[in-house]
């Protein structure tokens, strides 16, 4: 920096004598030229009019339009986002509601199934009992009938056997009474075992 | 031509150095390229009727062409020499470039906006420059409803910027380093500022010239009026004057420094020592590139500040 300043001072010193010798052109530096001033005025005014009409106007208008479009896009995005949030809330609420509904349906179904099952079981139990009762009654009646038949057969056999005996010597009626009394004392089990 | 040179001679007489040498030397038009070979600075920073044009080897030697000279136009009793000069050509080139670049950028921007919604490449860069000057420099300083002045500020910025930059390229010349150009730009700004004041304040605009403070008692008001009114008027005039001098001095001084450093290379007549001024000249040239943008920015910024100040005066 110092060398720069020094060289500048040197150059000024070198130029100083030249400045002193030059008269006309140097003085020209600070004296206005009216022709050039008129030219500058004309050129600048024409340039300003042309530029503001054809350059700055369109550029500014385009930038303003772009800014407006951006603002609109931002506003639209905001609107869309709010709409989406609203829809999401709605769907979430609907989902929650339907989930509760499903839970209730399942619970109801479970209760109904339980009831049906218990009813069926009860019915089955009742049927079983009736079937068993009927079977027991049938067995009972079959048994008593078989006993009665057996007893008749035994009587018949005994009579037939005794008839053979008494045919020869005994009074039919007295013998029969004797045998009957004997048979009454004999239990069916003893009969079956003695046979 | 005689009357034109007479005006020139009168101007010279007004300058201290010109007073020593009378007019005849200046009256005869020097042939182009006929300046003192030892002086490389003066032809570069002053206006002339000669234009340096680039040359092609063996076809067109690099040389200076003499611009046409037109008869002066008479406006009333005054006459105006409207012959084109080097700086007129440079201003025209700067204005043409500004039109081409900015209108081209506007077209490209419109096309890109249709295609993809935003400007791309060069158009995007120009757009961001325009937007920066408009949104960050002009509108905050211009005050409420100051959008109407933004194109003026933008035109000032791009015109001054391109004129500054043209001085940095070979065969170019800095039109903004000419006091006539900066004075005209400052006068235009002054007129725009005062018109903005009249438009914004109406009759209250007179308060910016005549100091008439209604808060003061009458016996204070009159002396303050007498004292402050000249200060107000001087204050009005110093603003454009400062604009004029700032731009002119910055552009001229930078070029003188660069040319002086380049002259030093030849003055030393040594490859070894000559490299030092070379690097310094490159550094100053970089600085000049920055200053070209900075001065255009400052001119635009201060113009918008002045317009904003006078418009806010009403509140």
């Amino acid at each position: 920096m110092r060398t720069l300043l020094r060289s500048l001072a040197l150059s000024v010193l070198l130029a100083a004598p030249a400045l002193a010798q030059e008269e006309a052109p140097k003085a020209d530096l600070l004296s206005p030229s009216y022709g050039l001033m008129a030219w500058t005025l004309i050129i600048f005014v024409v340039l300003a009019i042309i530029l503001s009409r054809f350059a700055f106007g369109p550029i500014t208008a385009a930038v303003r339009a772009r800014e407006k479009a951006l603002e609109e896009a931002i506003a639209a995005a905001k609107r869309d986002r709010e709409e989406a949030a609203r829809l999401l809330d709605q769907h979430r609420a609907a989902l929650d509601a339907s989930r509760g509904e499903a839970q209730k349906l399942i619970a109801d179904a479970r209760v109904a199934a339980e009831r049906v099952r218990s009813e069926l079981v009860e019915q089955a139990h009742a049927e079983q009992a009736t079937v068993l009762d009927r079977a027991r009654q049938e067995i009972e009646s079959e048994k008593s009938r078989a006993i009665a038949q057996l007893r008749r057969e035994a009587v018949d056999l005994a009579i037939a056997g005794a008839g053979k005996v008494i045919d020869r010597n005994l009074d039919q009626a007295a013998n029969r009474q004797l045998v009957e009394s004997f048979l009454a004392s004999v239990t069916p089990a003893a009969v079956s075992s003695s046979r | 031509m005689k009357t034109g040179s007479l005006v020139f001679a009168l101007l010279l007489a007004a300058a201290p150095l010109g007073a020593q040498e009378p007019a005849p030397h200046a009256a005869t038009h020097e042939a182009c390229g006929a300046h003192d070979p030892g002086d490389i600075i003066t032809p570069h920073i002053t206006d002339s009727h000669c234009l340096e044009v680039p040359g092609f080897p063996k076809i067109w030697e690099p040389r200076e062409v003499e611009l046409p000279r037109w008869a002066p136009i008479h406006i009333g009793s005054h006459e105006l020499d409207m012959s084109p000069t080097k700086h007129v050509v440079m201003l025209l080139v700067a204005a043409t470039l500004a039109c081409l670049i900015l209108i081209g950028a506007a077209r490209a921007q419109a096309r890109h906006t249709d295609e993809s919604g935003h400007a791309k490449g060069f158009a995007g860069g120009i757009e961001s420059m325009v937007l920066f000057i408009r949104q960050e420099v002009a509108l905050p300083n211009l005050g409420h409803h100051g959008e109407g002045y933004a194109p003026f500020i933008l035109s000032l910025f791009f015109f001054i910027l391109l004129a500054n930059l043209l001085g940095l390229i070979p065969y170019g010349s800095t039109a903004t380093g000419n006091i006539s150009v900066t004075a005209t730009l400052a006068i235009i700004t002054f007129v725009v500022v005062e018109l903005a004041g009249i438009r914004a304040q109406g009759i209250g605009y007179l308060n910016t010239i005549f100091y008439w403070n209604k808060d003061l008692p009458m016996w204070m008001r009159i002396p303050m009026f007498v004292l402050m009114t000249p200060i107000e008027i001087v204050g009005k005039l110093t603003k454009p004057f400062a604009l004029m001098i700032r731009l002119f001095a910055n552009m001229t001084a930078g070029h003188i420094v660069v040319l002086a450093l380049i002259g030093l290379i030849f003055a030393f007549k040594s490859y070894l020592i000559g490299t030092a001024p070379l690097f310094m000249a490159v550094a100053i040239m970089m600085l000049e590139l920055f200053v070209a943008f900075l001065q255009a920015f400052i001119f635009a910024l201060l113009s918008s500040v002045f317009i904003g100040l006078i418009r806010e005066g009403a509140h």
Side-chain angles (χ1 to χ4, degrees), chain A residues 67-110:
Chain A
E67 271 171 7
K68 202 168 153 227
L70 272 180
E71 269 166 21
E72 273 169 8
I74 287 169
K78 206 174 188 180
R79 240 183 359 253
D80 286 355
R81 205 176 52 211
E82 278 164 7
E83 178 76 17
R86 204 175 55 75
L87 279 178
L88 187 67
D89 277 353
Q90 228 169 46
H91 284 178
R92 198 168 281 157
L95 201 66
D96 280 353
S98 59
R99 191 173 289 150
E101 190 93 350
Q103 292 283 358
K104 203 164 76 75
L105 279 179
I106 290 171
D108 283 358
R110 192 171 289 149

Coordinates of all heavy atoms in Angstrom, one line a residue, chain A residues 67-110:
Chain A
E67 N -44.9 -13.5 -8.3 CA -45.2 -13.4 -6.8 C -46.6 -13.8 -6.5 O -46.9 -14.5 -5.6 CB -44.8 -12.0 -6.3 CG -43.4 -11.9 -5.9 CD -43.0 -10.5 -5.6 OE1 -43.9 -9.6 -5.6 OE2 -41.8 -10.2 -5.4
K68 N -47.5 -13.2 -7.4 CA -48.9 -13.5 -7.1 C -49.2 -15.0 -7.3 O -49.9 -15.6 -6.4 CB -49.7 -12.7 -8.1 CG -51.2 -12.4 -7.7 CD -51.8 -11.4 -8.6 CE -53.3 -11.6 -8.6 NZ -53.9 -11.6 -9.9
A69 N -48.7 -15.6 -8.3 CA -48.9 -17.0 -8.6 C -48.4 -17.8 -7.4 O -49.0 -18.8 -6.9 CB -48.2 -17.5 -9.8
L70 N -47.2 -17.4 -6.9 CA -46.6 -18.1 -5.7 C -47.5 -18.0 -4.5 O -47.8 -19.0 -3.8 CB -45.3 -17.5 -5.4 CG -44.1 -18.1 -6.1 CD1 -42.8 -17.4 -5.7 CD2 -44.0 -19.6 -5.8
E71 N -48.0 -16.8 -4.3 CA -48.9 -16.6 -3.1 C -50.1 -17.4 -3.2 O -50.6 -18.0 -2.3 CB -49.3 -15.1 -3.0 CG -48.3 -14.3 -2.1 CD -48.5 -12.8 -2.3 OE1 -49.6 -12.4 -2.8 OE2 -47.5 -12.1 -2.0
E72 N -50.7 -17.5 -4.5 CA -51.9 -18.3 -4.7 C -51.6 -19.7 -4.5 O -52.4 -20.4 -3.8 CB -52.4 -18.0 -6.1 CG -53.3 -16.8 -6.2 CD -53.6 -16.5 -7.7 OE1 -53.2 -17.2 -8.6 OE2 -54.2 -15.4 -7.9
A73 N -50.4 -20.2 -5.0 CA -50.1 -21.6 -4.8 C -49.9 -21.9 -3.3 O -50.4 -23.0 -2.8 CB -48.8 -21.9 -5.5
I74 N -49.3 -21.0 -2.6 CA -49.2 -21.2 -1.1 C -50.5 -21.3 -0.4 O -50.8 -22.2 0.4 CB -48.3 -20.1 -0.5 CG1 -46.8 -20.3 -1.0 CG2 -48.3 -20.1 1.0 CD1 -45.9 -19.1 -0.6
A75 N -51.4 -20.3 -0.8 CA -52.7 -20.3 -0.2 C -53.5 -21.6 -0.5 O -54.1 -22.2 0.3 CB -53.5 -19.1 -0.7
A76 N -53.4 -22.0 -1.8 CA -54.1 -23.3 -2.2 C -53.5 -24.5 -1.4 O -54.3 -25.3 -1.0 CB -53.9 -23.5 -3.7
A77 N -52.2 -24.5 -1.3 CA -51.6 -25.6 -0.5 C -52.1 -25.6 0.9 O -52.4 -26.7 1.5 CB -50.1 -25.5 -0.6
K78 N -52.2 -24.4 1.5 CA -52.7 -24.3 2.9 C -54.1 -24.8 3.0 O -54.4 -25.6 3.8 CB -52.6 -22.9 3.3 CG -52.5 -22.6 4.8 CD -52.3 -21.1 5.0 CE -51.9 -20.8 6.4 NZ -51.8 -19.4 6.6
R79 N -54.9 -24.4 2.0 CA -56.3 -24.8 1.9 C -56.4 -26.3 1.8 O -57.1 -27.0 2.6 CB -57.0 -24.2 0.8 CG -58.2 -23.3 1.2 CD -59.0 -22.7 0.1 NE -58.5 -23.0 -1.3 CZ -57.9 -22.1 -2.1 NH1 -57.6 -20.9 -1.6 NH2 -57.6 -22.4 -3.3
D80 N -55.6 -26.9 0.9 CA -55.6 -28.3 0.7 C -55.2 -29.1 1.9 O -55.8 -30.1 2.3 CB -54.7 -28.7 -0.5 CG -55.2 -28.3 -1.8 OD1 -56.4 -27.8 -1.8 OD2 -54.6 -28.4 -2.8
R81 N -54.2 -28.5 2.6 CA -53.7 -29.2 3.8 C -54.8 -29.2 4.9 O -55.0 -30.2 5.5 CB -52.5 -28.5 4.3 CG -51.6 -29.4 5.2 CD -50.3 -28.7 5.6 NE -50.6 -27.5 6.2 CZ -49.8 -26.4 6.1 NH1 -48.7 -26.5 5.4 NH2 -50.1 -25.3 6.7
E82 N -55.5 -28.1 5.1 CA -56.5 -28.0 6.0 C -57.6 -29.0 5.7 O -58.2 -29.7 6.6 CB -57.1 -26.6 6.1 CG -56.2 -25.7 7.0 CD -56.5 -24.3 6.8 OE1 -57.5 -23.9 6.1 OE2 -55.8 -23.4 7.4
E83 N -58.0 -29.1 4.4 CA -59.0 -30.0 3.9 C -58.6 -31.4 4.2 O -59.4 -32.2 4.7 CB -59.2 -29.8 2.4 CG -60.2 -30.7 1.7 CD -61.6 -30.3 2.0 OE1 -61.8 -29.1 2.5 OE2 -62.5 -31.1 1.9
A84 N -57.3 -31.7 3.9 CA -56.9 -33.1 4.2 C -56.9 -33.4 5.6 O -57.3 -34.6 6.0 CB -55.4 -33.2 3.6
A85 N -56.5 -32.5 6.5 CA -56.6 -32.7 7.9 C -58.0 -33.0 8.4 O -58.2 -33.9 9.2 CB -56.0 -31.5 8.7
R86 N -58.9 -32.2 7.8 CA -60.3 -32.4 8.2 C -60.8 -33.8 7.8 O -61.4 -34.5 8.6 CB -61.1 -31.3 7.5 CG -62.4 -30.9 8.2 CD -63.1 -29.8 7.5 NE -63.3 -30.0 6.1 CZ -64.2 -30.8 5.6 NH1 -65.0 -31.5 6.4 NH2 -64.3 -31.0 4.3
L87 N -60.5 -34.2 6.5 CA -60.9 -35.5 6.0 C -60.3 -36.6 6.9 O -61.0 -37.6 7.2 CB -60.4 -35.6 4.6 CG -61.3 -35.0 3.6 CD1 -60.8 -35.1 2.2 CD2 -62.7 -35.6 3.6
L88 N -59.0 -36.4 7.3 CA -58.3 -37.4 8.1 C -59.1 -37.6 9.4 O -59.3 -38.7 9.8 CB -56.9 -37.0 8.3 CG -56.0 -38.0 9.0 CD1 -55.8 -39.2 8.1 CD2 -54.7 -37.5 9.3
D89 N -59.4 -36.5 10.0 CA -60.1 -36.5 11.3 C -61.5 -37.3 11.1 O -61.8 -38.1 11.9 CB -60.4 -35.1 11.8 CG -59.2 -34.6 12.5 OD1 -58.2 -35.3 12.7 OD2 -59.2 -33.4 12.9
Q90 N -62.1 -36.9 10.0 CA -63.4 -37.5 9.7 C -63.3 -39.0 9.6 O -64.0 -39.8 10.2 CB -63.9 -37.0 8.4 CG -65.4 -36.5 8.5 CD -65.7 -35.7 7.2 OE1 -65.4 -36.2 6.1 NE2 -66.3 -34.6 7.4
H91 N -62.3 -39.4 8.8 CA -62.1 -40.9 8.6 C -61.7 -41.6 9.9 O -62.1 -42.7 10.1 CB -61.0 -41.1 7.5 CG -61.5 -40.8 6.2 ND1 -60.7 -40.8 5.1 CD2 -62.7 -40.4 5.7 CE1 -61.4 -40.5 4.0 NE2 -62.6 -40.2 4.4
R92 N -60.8 -40.9 10.7 CA -60.4 -41.5 11.9 C -61.7 -41.8 12.8 O -61.8 -42.8 13.4 CB -59.4 -40.6 12.6 CG -58.6 -41.3 13.6 CD -57.4 -40.5 14.0 NE -56.4 -40.5 13.1 CZ -55.4 -39.5 13.0 NH1 -55.5 -38.5 13.7 NH2 -54.5 -39.6 12.1
A93 N -62.5 -40.7 12.9 CA -63.7 -40.9 13.7 C -64.6 -42.0 13.2 O -65.1 -42.8 14.0 CB -64.5 -39.5 13.7
A94 N -64.7 -42.1 11.9 CA -65.6 -43.1 11.3 C -65.0 -44.5 11.6 O -65.7 -45.4 11.9 CB -65.7 -42.9 9.8
L95 N -63.7 -44.6 11.5 CA -63.0 -45.8 11.7 C -63.2 -46.3 13.2 O -63.5 -47.5 13.5 CB -61.5 -45.6 11.5 CG -60.7 -46.9 11.2 CD1 -61.2 -47.5 9.9 CD2 -59.2 -46.6 11.1
D96 N -63.1 -45.3 14.1 CA -63.3 -45.6 15.5 C -64.7 -46.1 15.8 O -64.9 -47.1 16.4 CB -63.0 -44.3 16.4 CG -61.6 -44.1 16.6 OD1 -60.8 -45.0 16.2 OD2 -61.2 -43.0 17.1
A97 N -65.6 -45.4 15.1 CA -67.0 -45.8 15.3 C -67.3 -47.2 14.8 O -67.9 -48.0 15.5 CB -67.9 -44.8 14.6
S98 N -66.7 -47.5 13.6 CA -67.0 -48.8 13.0 C -66.3 -49.9 13.8 O -66.8 -51.1 13.9 CB -66.5 -48.9 11.6 OG -65.2 -48.6 11.5
R99 N -65.1 -49.5 14.4 CA -64.4 -50.5 15.2 C -65.3 -50.9 16.5 O -65.5 -52.1 16.8 CB -63.1 -50.0 15.7 CG -62.2 -51.0 16.3 CD -60.8 -50.5 16.5 NE -60.1 -50.3 15.3 CZ -59.2 -49.3 15.1 NH1 -58.9 -48.5 16.1 NH2 -58.5 -49.2 14.0
G100 N -65.9 -49.9 17.1 CA -66.8 -50.2 18.2 C -68.0 -51.0 17.9 O -68.3 -52.0 18.6
E101 N -68.5 -50.7 16.7 CA -69.6 -51.4 16.2 C -69.3 -52.9 16.0 O -70.0 -53.8 16.4 CB -70.0 -50.8 14.8 CG -71.3 -51.3 14.2 CD -72.4 -50.4 14.6 OE1 -72.2 -49.5 15.4 OE2 -73.5 -50.6 14.0
A102 N -68.1 -53.2 15.4 CA -67.7 -54.5 15.2 C -67.5 -55.3 16.5 O -67.9 -56.4 16.7 CB -66.3 -54.5 14.4
Q103 N -66.9 -54.6 17.5 CA -66.7 -55.2 18.8 C -68.1 -55.6 19.4 O -68.2 -56.7 19.9 CB -66.1 -54.2 19.8 CG -64.6 -53.8 19.4 CD -63.7 -54.9 19.8 OE1 -64.1 -55.9 20.4 NE2 -62.4 -54.7 19.5
K104 N -69.0 -54.7 19.3 CA -70.3 -55.0 19.8 C -71.0 -56.2 19.1 O -71.5 -57.1 19.8 CB -71.2 -53.7 19.7 CG -72.4 -53.7 20.7 CD -73.0 -52.3 20.7 CE -73.9 -52.0 19.5 NZ -75.2 -52.6 19.5
L105 N -70.8 -56.2 17.8 CA -71.4 -57.3 17.0 C -70.8 -58.6 17.4 O -71.5 -59.6 17.6 CB -71.1 -57.1 15.5 CG -72.1 -56.1 14.8 CD1 -71.6 -56.0 13.4 CD2 -73.5 -56.6 14.9
I106 N -69.5 -58.6 17.6 CA -68.8 -59.9 18.0 C -69.3 -60.3 19.4 O -69.6 -61.5 19.6 CB -67.3 -59.6 18.0 CG1 -66.8 -59.5 16.6 CG2 -66.6 -60.8 18.7 CD1 -65.3 -59.1 16.5
A107 N -69.4 -59.3 20.3 CA -69.9 -59.7 21.6 C -71.3 -60.3 21.6 O -71.6 -61.3 22.2 CB -69.8 -58.4 22.5
D108 N -72.1 -59.6 20.8 CA -73.5 -60.1 20.7 C -73.5 -61.5 20.1 O -74.3 -62.4 20.6 CB -74.3 -59.2 19.7 CG -74.7 -57.9 20.4 OD1 -74.4 -57.8 21.6 OD2 -75.3 -57.0 19.7
A109 N -72.7 -61.7 19.1 CA -72.7 -63.0 18.5 C -72.2 -64.1 19.5 O -72.8 -65.2 19.5 CB -71.8 -63.0 17.3
R110 N -71.2 -63.7 20.3 CA -70.7 -64.6 21.2 C -71.8 -65.0 22.3 O -72.0 -66.2 22.5 CB -69.5 -64.0 22.0 CG -68.7 -65.0 22.8 CD -67.5 -64.4 23.3 NE -66.5 -64.2 22.2 CZ -65.6 -63.2 22.2 NH1 -65.6 -62.3 23.2 NH2 -64.8 -63.1 21.2

